[in-house]
Amino acid sequence: MSRVLVDANVLLDVLTDDSHWYDWSSRQLDACAERAELCINPIVYAEVSIGFERIEQLDGALPSDVFIRLELPWEAGFLAGKAFLQYRRAKGARTSPLPDFYIGAHAAIEGMALLTRDAKRYRTYYPTLELICP
């Protein structure tokens, strides 16, 4: 079975019932779950955690039987750093934090598709990465 790394923005769309993105994000999550394992990593978990008071609430929203929790590979750290350096040398805005590059690198290193709404950055810095995006 293949795996799909789910970006925090898609999860937050569903968890917050986002008026613009909820429908697209929930449909994509359902479609991906039918054909692949849905995965998150500690960075995605941390980004989503901001909206929760307690870890038990977060774990209830992201149950481990639905979202496989993956460790971050060391190789992804190296790739993320190189992509971030390229971004900064190209005068990239400081609004794009290193964690976003780490998420893309993780999916790329492990050969997973990435479900996200932020396709531009991932296409630019990880051109071979399979994206599921609007």
Side-chain angles (χ1 to χ4, degrees), residues 13-63:
D13 290 343
V14 174
L15 294 171
T16 65
D17 197 19
D18 183 270
S19 61
H20 183 75
W21 287 106
Y22 175 86
D23 288 338
W24 183 87
S25 293
S26 63
R27 281 194 316 268
Q28 294 304 315
L29 275 171
D30 289 343
C32 287
E34 288 181 14
R35 67 178 192 278
E37 293 179 325
L38 300 177
C39 301
I40 59 173
N41 64 28
I43 294 170
V44 171
Y45 186 86
E47 289 179 333
V48 174
S49 76
I50 293 169
F52 294 86
E53 295 277 330
R54 302 180 45 167
I55 194 169
E56 295 84 4
Q57 294 170 317
L58 176 59
D59 288 342
L62 299 175

Side-chain angles (χ1 to χ4, degrees), residues 41 43 72-88 96-109 121-122 125-126:
N41 64 28
I43 294 170
L72 292 165
W74 290 97
E75 298 86 354
F78 183 82
L79 182 59
K82 294 303 178 194
F84 188 70
L85 180 61
Q86 181 183 358
Y87 169 79
R88 292 300 300 142
S96 185
L98 180 58
D100 291 345
F101 287 91
Y102 215 139
I103 291 167
H106 185 188
I109 288 292
R121 179 180 317 113
Y122 295 119
Y125 295 97
Y126 306 102

